[in-house]
Amino acid sequence: MATRSRRVPRRPFVRVGRELENPALQHVALVGACYGLSNRALGTVGLLGPVRMDYEKAIRSVRAAAHELSRFVEDVYAEN
């Protein structure tokens, strides 16, 4: 039976308005979290919305999605 290494939690990130590189996005916010293997990020889950969004809920949502994608990817890698 293979043992999984303990995952280091990846912190979600928030970029608001002018923190985003594209000037056309200055009126929106981006909330994201990386997913992947314990030793390698494979992608990012993101939520783009208005600056006046429920950030707590957005962060929980992207964190949960990234966690589930990471579990799926780990299972796929473990089977191969």
Side-chain angles (χ1 to χ4, degrees), residues 2-76:
T3 60
R4 291 186 184 174
S5 60
R6 186 180 174 117
R7 172 181 306 288
V8 176
R10 295 182 178 96
R11 296 178 58 146
F13 60 87
V14 176
R15 304 288 183 271
V16 180
R18 294 181 188 205
E19 294 176 355
L20 297 167
E21 292 181 21
N22 188 327
L25 299 176
Q26 66 180 297
H27 299 292
V28 298
L30 173 67
V31 179
C34 294
Y35 68 90
L37 302 170
S38 59
N39 62 343
R40 182 172 148 203
L42 298 176
T44 304
V45 175
L47 185 149
L48 190 64
V51 172
R52 295 185 65 174
M53 73 167 86
D54 182 343
Y55 287 97
E56 185 177 333
K57 189 178 214 178
I59 290 168
R60 279 195 318 263
S61 297
V62 298
R63 182 184 289 142
H67 175 75
E68 290 303 318
L69 281 167
S70 293
R71 284 183 42 192
F72 173 77
V73 169
E74 284 183 351
D75 288 346
V76 168

